[in-house]
Amino acid sequence: MSWDPLPASANVAFYRVYERKGTGTYWMLAIVTDAALGLQVAGQLAIVDAPDFWPWPSSGVTAGPRSYVVTAVSMRGLEGPLSAEVSG
C-alpha cells in the first residue's frame, strides 16, 4: 500500500508519529526530522516499541499490539494524511 504524504509541491519539514489510542483517537509520540531517517534501517523511519518505559509508562498490561501512524508536515505547516497503521 502506498502513501502520498503531501503534494509534490509541498516541501516536507518533518514527520509526526502517532500511537492509536482508540477508534479515531491518536496520541502524538514524536516529531521526526530527516536527520533521524535511516538511523536503524537505510532510508526509513524505524520505531522501537518499548512499553512501560520512561517517559510514558502505560501503567498496566497492554491488551494486544499497539498501532502507529505517521503524517508529514510541510514547511508551511500543512499536515498531510495519515499513513496506513502499522502494529507492533
Side-chain angles (χ1 to χ4, degrees):
M1 180 175 194
S2 67
W3 170 59
D4 293 324
L6 286 170
S9 61
N11 295 326
V12 175
F14 57 88
Y15 300 89
R16 289 181 178 154
V17 179
Y18 295 92
E19 178 186 354
R20 183 170 53 85
K21 288 297 190 179
T23 304
T25 304
Y26 295 91
W27 182 25
M28 189 174 72
L29 295 176
I31 291 176
V32 179
T33 64
D34 284 338
L37 297 178
L39 293 177
Q40 294 179 345
V41 179
Q44 295 183 13
L45 170 65
I47 298 172
V48 176
D49 187 0
D52 301 324
F53 289 103
W54 182 88
W56 302 289
S58 63
S59 67
V61 177
T62 304
R66 289 186 290 233
S67 297
Y68 302 93
V69 295
V70 176
T71 63
V73 180
S74 75
M75 296 287 196
R76 297 182 71 191
L78 170 68
E79 185 170 17
L82 297 174
S83 67
E85 282 191 13
V86 174
S87 296

